[in-house]
Amino acid sequence: MLDFVIVIALGLVAVAVAMSFWRLLRGPSLPDRVLALDTLYVNAIALLMLLGIHLGSALFFEAALLIALMGFIGTVALCKYLLRGDIIE
């Protein structure tokens, strides 16, 4: 039963990734695109976690942790650039 639910969840998260990517391409403003990029990396983390559970591999969890770290740093850097115009003061 769990395998069936994980496959459905993988499909639904894949649809969420596609919708986030669409918003990233067609966002009306730059902050909307930054938010779409943030949502995209959160959805990528969810995909990796579900795939790790489905395949029973711990390697996917480490990759999800790295994506979370890089995604957070990237979001902070983009927001700082949008607000101030530079990243390093």
Short mmCIF file of all heavy atoms in Angstrom, two decimals, residues 2-72:
data_model
loop_
_atom_site.label_atom_id
_atom_site.label_comp_id
_atom_site.label_asym_id
_atom_site.label_seq_id
_atom_site.Cartn_x
_atom_site.Cartn_y
_atom_site.Cartn_z
N LEU A 2 1.99 1.23 0.76
CA LEU A 2 2.86 2.39 0.84
C LEU A 2 3.52 2.69 -0.51
O LEU A 2 3.67 3.85 -0.88
CB LEU A 2 3.92 2.19 1.93
CG LEU A 2 4.85 3.37 2.19
CD1 LEU A 2 4.05 4.57 2.69
CD2 LEU A 2 5.91 2.99 3.16
N ASP A 3 3.87 1.64 -1.24
CA ASP A 3 4.48 1.85 -2.56
C ASP A 3 3.52 2.56 -3.50
O ASP A 3 3.92 3.43 -4.27
CB ASP A 3 4.92 0.52 -3.17
CG ASP A 3 6.10 -0.08 -2.46
OD1 ASP A 3 6.88 0.70 -1.86
OD2 ASP A 3 6.23 -1.31 -2.47
N PHE A 4 2.25 2.20 -3.44
CA PHE A 4 1.24 2.83 -4.29
C PHE A 4 1.07 4.30 -3.94
O PHE A 4 1.00 5.16 -4.82
CB PHE A 4 -0.09 2.08 -4.13
CG PHE A 4 -1.20 2.64 -4.96
CD1 PHE A 4 -1.18 2.53 -6.34
CD2 PHE A 4 -2.27 3.29 -4.36
CE1 PHE A 4 -2.20 3.05 -7.11
CE2 PHE A 4 -3.28 3.81 -5.11
CZ PHE A 4 -3.25 3.70 -6.49
N VAL A 5 1.05 4.61 -2.67
CA VAL A 5 0.90 6.00 -2.22
C VAL A 5 2.13 6.83 -2.59
O VAL A 5 2.01 7.99 -3.01
CB VAL A 5 0.63 6.04 -0.70
CG1 VAL A 5 0.65 7.46 -0.18
CG2 VAL A 5 -0.70 5.39 -0.39
N ILE A 6 3.30 6.25 -2.49
CA ILE A 6 4.52 6.98 -2.83
C ILE A 6 4.56 7.29 -4.32
O ILE A 6 4.96 8.38 -4.73
CB ILE A 6 5.77 6.20 -2.38
CG1 ILE A 6 5.87 6.25 -0.87
CG2 ILE A 6 7.04 6.77 -3.01
CD1 ILE A 6 7.00 5.45 -0.29
N VAL A 7 4.11 6.36 -5.16
CA VAL A 7 4.07 6.60 -6.59
C VAL A 7 3.09 7.73 -6.92
O VAL A 7 3.38 8.60 -7.75
CB VAL A 7 3.72 5.30 -7.35
CG1 VAL A 7 3.43 5.57 -8.81
CG2 VAL A 7 4.85 4.30 -7.22
N ILE A 8 1.95 7.74 -6.27
CA ILE A 8 0.98 8.83 -6.48
C ILE A 8 1.57 10.15 -6.01
O ILE A 8 1.45 11.18 -6.68
CB ILE A 8 -0.34 8.52 -5.75
CG1 ILE A 8 -1.07 7.38 -6.45
CG2 ILE A 8 -1.25 9.75 -5.70
CD1 ILE A 8 -2.30 6.89 -5.73
N ALA A 9 2.23 10.15 -4.86
CA ALA A 9 2.84 11.37 -4.34
C ALA A 9 3.96 11.86 -5.27
O ALA A 9 4.10 13.07 -5.48
CB ALA A 9 3.39 11.13 -2.94
N LEU A 10 4.73 10.95 -5.84
CA LEU A 10 5.76 11.33 -6.80
C LEU A 10 5.13 12.02 -8.01
O LEU A 10 5.66 13.03 -8.50
CB LEU A 10 6.56 10.11 -7.26
CG LEU A 10 7.67 9.64 -6.35
CD1 LEU A 10 8.17 8.27 -6.78
CD2 LEU A 10 8.79 10.64 -6.33
N GLY A 11 4.03 11.50 -8.49
CA GLY A 11 3.33 12.13 -9.62
C GLY A 11 2.82 13.51 -9.29
O GLY A 11 2.95 14.44 -10.09
N LEU A 12 2.23 13.66 -8.11
CA LEU A 12 1.69 14.96 -7.72
C LEU A 12 2.79 15.99 -7.51
O LEU A 12 2.64 17.16 -7.89
CB LEU A 12 0.84 14.81 -6.46
CG LEU A 12 -0.47 14.03 -6.64
CD1 LEU A 12 -1.14 13.83 -5.29
CD2 LEU A 12 -1.39 14.74 -7.60
N VAL A 13 3.89 15.59 -6.92
CA VAL A 13 5.01 16.52 -6.72
C VAL A 13 5.65 16.86 -8.06
O VAL A 13 6.09 17.99 -8.28
CB VAL A 13 6.03 15.96 -5.71
CG1 VAL A 13 7.25 16.83 -5.61
CG2 VAL A 13 5.39 15.82 -4.34
N ALA A 14 5.67 15.92 -9.00
CA ALA A 14 6.18 16.21 -10.34
C ALA A 14 5.30 17.25 -11.03
O ALA A 14 5.82 18.13 -11.74
CB ALA A 14 6.26 14.93 -11.16
N VAL A 15 4.01 17.18 -10.84
CA VAL A 15 3.10 18.21 -11.38
C VAL A 15 3.39 19.56 -10.72
O VAL A 15 3.41 20.60 -11.39
CB VAL A 15 1.63 17.79 -11.18
CG1 VAL A 15 0.68 18.93 -11.48
CG2 VAL A 15 1.30 16.59 -12.05
N ALA A 16 3.65 19.56 -9.43
CA ALA A 16 3.99 20.80 -8.73
C ALA A 16 5.30 21.38 -9.25
O ALA A 16 5.44 22.61 -9.38
CB ALA A 16 4.08 20.55 -7.22
N VAL A 17 6.27 20.53 -9.57
CA VAL A 17 7.53 20.99 -10.14
C VAL A 17 7.28 21.63 -11.50
O VAL A 17 7.82 22.70 -11.81
CB VAL A 17 8.55 19.83 -10.26
CG1 VAL A 17 9.71 20.20 -11.15
CG2 VAL A 17 9.04 19.43 -8.89
N ALA A 18 6.44 21.01 -12.31
CA ALA A 18 6.13 21.56 -13.63
C ALA A 18 5.43 22.92 -13.51
O ALA A 18 5.74 23.85 -14.26
CB ALA A 18 5.26 20.58 -14.41
N MET A 19 4.53 23.04 -12.56
CA MET A 19 3.83 24.31 -12.37
C MET A 19 4.78 25.39 -11.86
O MET A 19 4.69 26.56 -12.28
CB MET A 19 2.64 24.12 -11.43
CG MET A 19 1.57 23.24 -12.02
SD MET A 19 0.30 22.81 -10.83
CE MET A 19 -0.70 24.25 -10.89
N SER A 20 5.69 25.03 -10.98
CA SER A 20 6.67 26.00 -10.49
C SER A 20 7.61 26.44 -11.60
O SER A 20 7.98 27.62 -11.69
CB SER A 20 7.49 25.40 -9.35
OG SER A 20 6.68 25.13 -8.25
N PHE A 21 8.01 25.49 -12.45
CA PHE A 21 8.88 25.83 -13.57
C PHE A 21 8.16 26.75 -14.56
O PHE A 21 8.75 27.68 -15.10
CB PHE A 21 9.36 24.56 -14.27
CG PHE A 21 10.43 24.81 -15.28
CD1 PHE A 21 11.70 25.20 -14.87
CD2 PHE A 21 10.17 24.66 -16.62
CE1 PHE A 21 12.69 25.43 -15.80
CE2 PHE A 21 11.16 24.90 -17.56
CZ PHE A 21 12.41 25.29 -17.14
N TRP A 22 6.87 26.51 -14.76
CA TRP A 22 6.08 27.39 -15.63
C TRP A 22 6.03 28.81 -15.05
O TRP A 22 6.16 29.79 -15.77
CB TRP A 22 4.67 26.82 -15.80
CG TRP A 22 3.79 27.69 -16.63
CD1 TRP A 22 2.79 28.51 -16.18
CD2 TRP A 22 3.84 27.86 -18.04
NE1 TRP A 22 2.22 29.16 -17.22
CE2 TRP A 22 2.85 28.78 -18.39
CE3 TRP A 22 4.64 27.32 -19.03
CZ2 TRP A 22 2.62 29.17 -19.70
CZ3 TRP A 22 4.40 27.71 -20.34
CH2 TRP A 22 3.41 28.62 -20.65
N ARG A 23 5.85 28.92 -13.74
CA ARG A 23 5.82 30.24 -13.11
C ARG A 23 7.20 30.90 -13.18
O ARG A 23 7.30 32.11 -13.32
CB ARG A 23 5.36 30.12 -11.66
CG ARG A 23 5.35 31.41 -10.86
CD ARG A 23 4.62 32.55 -11.53
NE ARG A 23 3.24 32.24 -11.77
CZ ARG A 23 2.45 32.97 -12.56
NH1 ARG A 23 2.90 34.05 -13.15
NH2 ARG A 23 1.21 32.63 -12.76
N LEU A 24 8.25 30.09 -13.12
CA LEU A 24 9.60 30.63 -13.24
C LEU A 24 9.82 31.23 -14.63
O LEU A 24 10.43 32.29 -14.77
CB LEU A 24 10.63 29.53 -12.97
CG LEU A 24 12.10 29.91 -13.01
CD1 LEU A 24 12.41 30.88 -11.88
CD2 LEU A 24 12.96 28.68 -12.89
N LEU A 25 9.30 30.59 -15.64
CA LEU A 25 9.46 31.10 -17.01
C LEU A 25 8.53 32.26 -17.32
O LEU A 25 8.91 33.19 -18.02
CB LEU A 25 9.22 29.97 -18.01
CG LEU A 25 10.24 28.84 -18.00
CD1 LEU A 25 9.81 27.76 -18.99
CD2 LEU A 25 11.61 29.34 -18.31
N ARG A 26 7.30 32.23 -16.82
CA ARG A 26 6.29 33.20 -17.20
C ARG A 26 5.92 34.18 -16.09
O ARG A 26 4.91 34.87 -16.20
CB ARG A 26 5.01 32.46 -17.63
CG ARG A 26 5.16 31.50 -18.76
CD ARG A 26 5.23 32.19 -20.04
NE ARG A 26 4.01 32.97 -20.18
CZ ARG A 26 3.62 33.53 -21.29
NH1 ARG A 26 4.33 33.39 -22.36
NH2 ARG A 26 2.51 34.22 -21.35
N GLY A 27 6.71 34.25 -15.05
CA GLY A 27 6.39 35.14 -13.93
C GLY A 27 6.27 36.58 -14.37
O GLY A 27 7.08 37.06 -15.15
N PRO A 28 5.27 37.29 -13.90
CA PRO A 28 5.11 38.68 -14.35
C PRO A 28 6.19 39.62 -13.82
O PRO A 28 6.50 40.62 -14.44
CB PRO A 28 3.73 39.07 -13.83
CG PRO A 28 3.44 38.13 -12.72
CD PRO A 28 4.20 36.88 -13.02
N SER A 29 6.78 39.30 -12.69
CA SER A 29 7.80 40.19 -12.15
C SER A 29 8.96 39.35 -11.61
O SER A 29 8.87 38.14 -11.46
CB SER A 29 7.22 41.06 -11.03
OG SER A 29 6.84 40.26 -9.94
N LEU A 30 10.05 40.03 -11.32
CA LEU A 30 11.24 39.33 -10.83
C LEU A 30 11.05 38.69 -9.44
O LEU A 30 11.49 37.57 -9.23
CB LEU A 30 12.42 40.29 -10.83
CG LEU A 30 13.80 39.68 -10.80
CD1 LEU A 30 13.98 38.68 -11.93
CD2 LEU A 30 14.85 40.75 -10.89
N PRO A 31 10.37 39.35 -8.50
CA PRO A 31 10.13 38.67 -7.21
C PRO A 31 9.27 37.41 -7.35
O PRO A 31 9.47 36.44 -6.62
CB PRO A 31 9.41 39.72 -6.37
CG PRO A 31 9.87 41.01 -6.91
CD PRO A 31 10.03 40.78 -8.39
N ASP A 32 8.34 37.40 -8.31
CA ASP A 32 7.55 36.19 -8.55
C ASP A 32 8.44 35.05 -9.04
O ASP A 32 8.25 33.89 -8.68
CB ASP A 32 6.46 36.45 -9.58
CG ASP A 32 5.35 37.31 -9.03
OD1 ASP A 32 5.10 37.25 -7.81
OD2 ASP A 32 4.72 38.04 -9.81
N ARG A 33 9.42 35.39 -9.85
CA ARG A 33 10.33 34.37 -10.36
C ARG A 33 11.25 33.85 -9.26
O ARG A 33 11.56 32.66 -9.22
CB ARG A 33 11.14 34.93 -11.51
CG ARG A 33 10.26 35.15 -12.72
CD ARG A 33 11.01 35.66 -13.89
NE ARG A 33 10.06 35.75 -15.00
CZ ARG A 33 10.33 36.36 -16.11
NH1 ARG A 33 11.50 36.94 -16.29
NH2 ARG A 33 9.43 36.40 -17.08
N VAL A 34 11.67 34.70 -8.36
CA VAL A 34 12.49 34.25 -7.22
C VAL A 34 11.67 33.32 -6.33
O VAL A 34 12.16 32.28 -5.87
CB VAL A 34 13.03 35.45 -6.43
CG1 VAL A 34 13.69 35.01 -5.13
CG2 VAL A 34 14.00 36.25 -7.26
N LEU A 35 10.42 33.66 -6.10
CA LEU A 35 9.54 32.81 -5.31
C LEU A 35 9.30 31.47 -6.00
O LEU A 35 9.27 30.42 -5.35
CB LEU A 35 8.21 33.52 -5.04
CG LEU A 35 7.22 32.80 -4.14
CD1 LEU A 35 7.81 32.62 -2.76
CD2 LEU A 35 5.93 33.58 -4.08
N ALA A 36 9.16 31.49 -7.32
CA ALA A 36 8.99 30.24 -8.07
C ALA A 36 10.25 29.38 -7.98
O ALA A 36 10.16 28.15 -7.88
CB ALA A 36 8.65 30.54 -9.52
N LEU A 37 11.41 30.01 -8.02
CA LEU A 37 12.66 29.26 -7.88
C LEU A 37 12.77 28.64 -6.49
O LEU A 37 13.20 27.49 -6.34
CB LEU A 37 13.85 30.17 -8.15
CG LEU A 37 15.20 29.52 -8.22
CD1 LEU A 37 15.28 28.57 -9.40
CD2 LEU A 37 16.28 30.58 -8.33
N ASP A 38 12.34 29.37 -5.47
CA ASP A 38 12.34 28.85 -4.11
C ASP A 38 11.39 27.66 -4.00
O ASP A 38 11.73 26.63 -3.42
CB ASP A 38 11.93 29.97 -3.15
CG ASP A 38 12.07 29.56 -1.70
OD1 ASP A 38 13.15 29.06 -1.34
OD2 ASP A 38 11.10 29.75 -0.95
N THR A 39 10.21 27.78 -4.58
CA THR A 39 9.25 26.68 -4.56
C THR A 39 9.77 25.49 -5.36
O THR A 39 9.55 24.34 -4.98
CB THR A 39 7.91 27.15 -5.15
OG1 THR A 39 7.48 28.30 -4.45
CG2 THR A 39 6.85 26.09 -5.05
N LEU A 40 10.49 25.77 -6.43
CA LEU A 40 11.03 24.70 -7.26
C LEU A 40 12.05 23.87 -6.49
O LEU A 40 12.05 22.64 -6.56
CB LEU A 40 11.66 25.30 -8.51
CG LEU A 40 12.04 24.35 -9.62
CD1 LEU A 40 10.78 23.71 -10.20
CD2 LEU A 40 12.75 25.11 -10.71
N TYR A 41 12.92 24.51 -5.73
CA TYR A 41 13.89 23.71 -4.99
C TYR A 41 13.24 22.97 -3.82
O TYR A 41 13.67 21.86 -3.47
CB TYR A 41 15.12 24.52 -4.58
CG TYR A 41 15.10 25.21 -3.26
CD1 TYR A 41 15.33 24.52 -2.09
CD2 TYR A 41 14.89 26.58 -3.17
CE1 TYR A 41 15.33 25.15 -0.87
CE2 TYR A 41 14.89 27.22 -1.96
CZ TYR A 41 15.11 26.50 -0.81
OH TYR A 41 15.11 27.13 0.40
N VAL A 42 12.21 23.52 -3.23
CA VAL A 42 11.50 22.79 -2.17
C VAL A 42 10.82 21.55 -2.76
O VAL A 42 10.83 20.46 -2.16
CB VAL A 42 10.48 23.71 -1.46
CG1 VAL A 42 9.56 22.92 -0.57
CG2 VAL A 42 11.20 24.77 -0.65
N ASN A 43 10.24 21.70 -3.95
CA ASN A 43 9.62 20.55 -4.61
C ASN A 43 10.67 19.51 -5.03
O ASN A 43 10.41 18.31 -4.99
CB ASN A 43 8.81 21.00 -5.83
CG ASN A 43 7.55 21.71 -5.43
OD1 ASN A 43 7.00 21.46 -4.38
ND2 ASN A 43 7.08 22.59 -6.29
N ALA A 44 11.84 19.97 -5.42
CA ALA A 44 12.92 19.03 -5.76
C ALA A 44 13.36 18.24 -4.53
O ALA A 44 13.64 17.04 -4.63
CB ALA A 44 14.09 19.79 -6.36
N ILE A 45 13.38 18.89 -3.39
CA ILE A 45 13.70 18.19 -2.14
C ILE A 45 12.64 17.14 -1.84
O ILE A 45 12.96 16.00 -1.47
CB ILE A 45 13.83 19.20 -0.98
CG1 ILE A 45 15.05 20.07 -1.17
CG2 ILE A 45 13.89 18.48 0.36
CD1 ILE A 45 15.09 21.25 -0.23
N ALA A 46 11.38 17.50 -2.04
CA ALA A 46 10.30 16.53 -1.80
C ALA A 46 10.40 15.35 -2.74
O ALA A 46 10.20 14.19 -2.33
CB ALA A 46 8.95 17.22 -1.96
N LEU A 47 10.74 15.61 -4.01
CA LEU A 47 10.93 14.51 -4.96
C LEU A 47 12.06 13.58 -4.53
O LEU A 47 11.92 12.35 -4.60
CB LEU A 47 11.21 15.05 -6.35
CG LEU A 47 10.03 15.36 -7.24
CD1 LEU A 47 10.49 15.99 -8.54
CD2 LEU A 47 9.21 14.13 -7.50
N LEU A 48 13.17 14.15 -4.12
CA LEU A 48 14.29 13.33 -3.69
C LEU A 48 13.96 12.51 -2.43
O LEU A 48 14.37 11.35 -2.32
CB LEU A 48 15.52 14.19 -3.44
CG LEU A 48 16.28 14.61 -4.68
CD1 LEU A 48 17.39 15.58 -4.32
CD2 LEU A 48 16.85 13.41 -5.38
N MET A 49 13.24 13.11 -1.51
CA MET A 49 12.87 12.39 -0.30
C MET A 49 11.94 11.22 -0.62
O MET A 49 12.12 10.10 -0.11
CB MET A 49 12.20 13.33 0.70
CG MET A 49 13.10 14.44 1.20
SD MET A 49 14.49 13.86 2.13
CE MET A 49 13.71 13.53 3.67
N LEU A 50 10.95 11.48 -1.48
CA LEU A 50 10.04 10.40 -1.86
C LEU A 50 10.76 9.30 -2.63
O LEU A 50 10.49 8.11 -2.43
CB LEU A 50 8.89 10.96 -2.69
CG LEU A 50 7.84 11.75 -1.92
CD1 LEU A 50 6.91 12.47 -2.88
CD2 LEU A 50 7.07 10.85 -0.99
N LEU A 51 11.67 9.69 -3.51
CA LEU A 51 12.43 8.68 -4.26
C LEU A 51 13.34 7.89 -3.33
O LEU A 51 13.51 6.67 -3.51
CB LEU A 51 13.23 9.37 -5.35
CG LEU A 51 13.75 8.50 -6.48
CD1 LEU A 51 12.60 7.82 -7.20
CD2 LEU A 51 14.56 9.32 -7.44
N GLY A 52 13.92 8.54 -2.35
CA GLY A 52 14.75 7.82 -1.37
C GLY A 52 13.95 6.83 -0.55
O GLY A 52 14.42 5.73 -0.26
N ILE A 53 12.73 7.20 -0.18
CA ILE A 53 11.87 6.28 0.56
C ILE A 53 11.48 5.10 -0.33
O ILE A 53 11.49 3.95 0.10
CB ILE A 53 10.62 7.01 1.09
CG1 ILE A 53 11.01 8.01 2.17
CG2 ILE A 53 9.60 6.01 1.64
CD1 ILE A 53 9.89 8.94 2.57
N HIS A 54 11.14 5.42 -1.57
CA HIS A 54 10.69 4.37 -2.50
C HIS A 54 11.81 3.37 -2.82
O HIS A 54 11.56 2.17 -2.87
CB HIS A 54 10.17 5.02 -3.79
CG HIS A 54 9.61 4.06 -4.78
ND1 HIS A 54 8.47 3.34 -4.53
CD2 HIS A 54 10.03 3.69 -6.01
CE1 HIS A 54 8.22 2.57 -5.57
NE2 HIS A 54 9.16 2.77 -6.48
N LEU A 55 13.02 3.86 -3.03
CA LEU A 55 14.13 2.97 -3.38
C LEU A 55 14.90 2.45 -2.17
O LEU A 55 15.70 1.54 -2.29
CB LEU A 55 15.09 3.70 -4.32
CG LEU A 55 14.52 4.09 -5.68
CD1 LEU A 55 15.54 4.87 -6.48
CD2 LEU A 55 14.03 2.88 -6.43
N GLY A 56 14.68 3.06 -1.01
CA GLY A 56 15.35 2.61 0.21
C GLY A 56 16.82 2.97 0.25
O GLY A 56 17.63 2.22 0.80
N SER A 57 17.18 4.11 -0.32
CA SER A 57 18.58 4.53 -0.36
C SER A 57 18.76 5.81 0.45
O SER A 57 17.98 6.75 0.32
CB SER A 57 19.01 4.77 -1.81
OG SER A 57 20.31 5.27 -1.86
N ALA A 58 19.81 5.85 1.25
CA ALA A 58 20.09 7.03 2.07
C ALA A 58 20.81 8.11 1.29
O ALA A 58 20.89 9.25 1.74
CB ALA A 58 20.91 6.64 3.28
N LEU A 59 21.31 7.79 0.12
CA LEU A 59 22.03 8.77 -0.70
C LEU A 59 21.12 9.92 -1.14
O LEU A 59 21.56 11.06 -1.22
CB LEU A 59 22.63 8.07 -1.92
CG LEU A 59 23.53 8.91 -2.81
CD1 LEU A 59 24.76 9.35 -2.01
CD2 LEU A 59 23.94 8.13 -4.03
N PHE A 60 19.86 9.63 -1.38
CA PHE A 60 18.92 10.67 -1.80
C PHE A 60 18.68 11.69 -0.69
O PHE A 60 18.44 12.86 -0.97
CB PHE A 60 17.59 10.04 -2.23
CG PHE A 60 17.71 9.25 -3.50
CD1 PHE A 60 17.80 7.87 -3.47
CD2 PHE A 60 17.74 9.89 -4.73
CE1 PHE A 60 17.90 7.14 -4.64
CE2 PHE A 60 17.84 9.17 -5.91
CZ PHE A 60 17.92 7.80 -5.86
N PHE A 61 18.73 11.26 0.55
CA PHE A 61 18.52 12.17 1.67
C PHE A 61 19.68 13.15 1.80
O PHE A 61 19.48 14.32 2.13
CB PHE A 61 18.30 11.40 2.96
CG PHE A 61 17.13 10.45 2.90
CD1 PHE A 61 17.32 9.10 2.97
CD2 PHE A 61 15.85 10.95 2.73
CE1 PHE A 61 16.25 8.23 2.90
CE2 PHE A 61 14.77 10.09 2.65
CZ PHE A 61 14.96 8.72 2.73
N GLU A 62 20.89 12.67 1.54
CA GLU A 62 22.05 13.56 1.58
C GLU A 62 21.99 14.57 0.43
O GLU A 62 22.33 15.74 0.61
CB GLU A 62 23.33 12.74 1.50
CG GLU A 62 23.55 11.88 2.73
CD GLU A 62 24.73 10.95 2.59
OE1 GLU A 62 25.51 11.12 1.62
OE2 GLU A 62 24.88 10.08 3.44
N ALA A 63 21.54 14.12 -0.73
CA ALA A 63 21.40 15.04 -1.87
C ALA A 63 20.32 16.09 -1.58
O ALA A 63 20.48 17.26 -1.93
CB ALA A 63 21.05 14.26 -3.13
N ALA A 64 19.25 15.67 -0.92
CA ALA A 64 18.19 16.63 -0.56
C ALA A 64 18.70 17.66 0.43
O ALA A 64 18.34 18.84 0.35
CB ALA A 64 16.99 15.87 0.02
N LEU A 65 19.56 17.25 1.34
CA LEU A 65 20.14 18.18 2.30
C LEU A 65 21.03 19.20 1.60
O LEU A 65 20.99 20.40 1.92
CB LEU A 65 20.93 17.41 3.36
CG LEU A 65 21.51 18.23 4.50
CD1 LEU A 65 20.40 18.86 5.31
CD2 LEU A 65 22.38 17.36 5.38
N LEU A 66 21.81 18.76 0.63
CA LEU A 66 22.65 19.68 -0.13
C LEU A 66 21.82 20.66 -0.95
O LEU A 66 22.14 21.85 -1.03
CB LEU A 66 23.59 18.89 -1.04
CG LEU A 66 24.73 18.17 -0.35
CD1 LEU A 66 25.50 17.32 -1.34
CD2 LEU A 66 25.65 19.16 0.32
N ILE A 67 20.76 20.18 -1.57
CA ILE A 67 19.88 21.06 -2.34
C ILE A 67 19.22 22.08 -1.42
O ILE A 67 19.07 23.25 -1.78
CB ILE A 67 18.84 20.25 -3.13
CG1 ILE A 67 19.52 19.53 -4.27
CG2 ILE A 67 17.74 21.14 -3.67
CD1 ILE A 67 18.61 18.64 -5.07
N ALA A 68 18.82 21.67 -0.24
CA ALA A 68 18.21 22.60 0.71
C ALA A 68 19.18 23.70 1.10
O ALA A 68 18.82 24.88 1.14
CB ALA A 68 17.73 21.85 1.95
N LEU A 69 20.41 23.33 1.36
CA LEU A 69 21.42 24.32 1.75
C LEU A 69 21.70 25.29 0.62
O LEU A 69 21.71 26.51 0.81
CB LEU A 69 22.70 23.60 2.18
CG LEU A 69 23.84 24.48 2.65
CD1 LEU A 69 23.48 25.16 3.95
CD2 LEU A 69 25.09 23.65 2.82
N MET A 70 21.94 24.78 -0.57
CA MET A 70 22.24 25.64 -1.71
C MET A 70 21.03 26.48 -2.12
O MET A 70 21.18 27.63 -2.53
CB MET A 70 22.72 24.80 -2.90
CG MET A 70 24.00 24.09 -2.60
SD MET A 70 25.25 25.20 -1.99
CE MET A 70 26.40 25.13 -3.27
N GLY A 71 19.84 25.91 -2.00
CA GLY A 71 18.64 26.67 -2.34
C GLY A 71 18.41 27.83 -1.39
O GLY A 71 18.04 28.93 -1.81
N PHE A 72 18.66 27.61 -0.11
CA PHE A 72 18.49 28.68 0.86
C PHE A 72 19.49 29.80 0.60
O PHE A 72 19.14 30.98 0.60
CB PHE A 72 18.66 28.14 2.28
CG PHE A 72 18.63 29.21 3.32
CD1 PHE A 72 17.44 29.82 3.66
CD2 PHE A 72 19.79 29.62 3.96
CE1 PHE A 72 17.40 30.83 4.62
CE2 PHE A 72 19.76 30.61 4.92
CZ PHE A 72 18.57 31.22 5.25
#
